[in-house]
Amino acid sequence: MAQPDDMFGDDDYPAYTMGRAAEITGASQDFLRRLDEAKLITPFRSSGGHRRYSRYQLRLAARAREMVDQGTALEAACRIIILEDQLEEALRQNEKHQRRQEPEAS
């Protein structure tokens, strides 16, 4: 099992409470709940049922807040962010695949 210091360095480790996540992203707790409802982020639930957020999820929430603040509807902002994230992952996978296909230099 990973040590606590290692876990906090992990972008996917749910280290932040809802209150702290709202504070970090500059969003309200209600906004974070709405992102969950819109399926942009699904926070981890503690044994007591409290939401916990990762740094990766906080970056998505901050991006959504910025877009909504600029006038984009919440649902549209969430969809755009999801598509951007999927595109970024597809490009990473494509690059990885192409590197495996390159002939080795003699």
Side-chain angles (χ1 to χ4, degrees), residues 18-29 31-32 35 54-55 57-63 65-66 69:
M18 177 179 270
R20 184 69 178 125
E23 193 177 298
I24 290 169
T25 61
S28 68
Q29 292 183 16
F31 184 80
L32 294 174
L35 295 180
S54 68
R55 285 189 296 183
Q57 290 172 325
L58 296 184
R59 284 195 300 274
L60 295 179
R63 174 83 172 112
R65 186 191 53 79
E66 288 171 8
D69 288 351

Side-chain angles (χ1 to χ4, degrees), residues 24-66:
I24 290 169
T25 61
S28 68
Q29 292 183 16
D30 182 59
F31 184 80
L32 294 174
R33 285 186 203 95
R34 290 175 39 216
L35 295 180
D36 187 6
E37 291 167 6
K39 308 276 191 260
L40 177 62
I41 54 177
T42 304
F44 174 79
R45 294 289 184 139
S46 70
S47 58
H50 300 283
R51 291 174 175 90
R52 304 285 293 193
Y53 297 87
S54 68
R55 285 189 296 183
Y56 172 73
Q57 290 172 325
L58 296 184
R59 284 195 300 274
L60 295 179
R63 174 83 172 112
R65 186 191 53 79
E66 288 171 8

Side-chain angles (χ1 to χ4, degrees), residues 66-90:
E66 288 171 8
M67 292 179 76
V68 169
D69 288 351
Q70 293 172 358
T72 305
L74 178 70
E75 295 77 18
C78 290
R79 186 68 183 140
I80 289 167
I81 293 167
I82 289 167
L83 289 171
E84 288 174 341
D85 201 47
Q86 289 173 342
L87 175 59
E88 187 176 314
E89 178 60 24

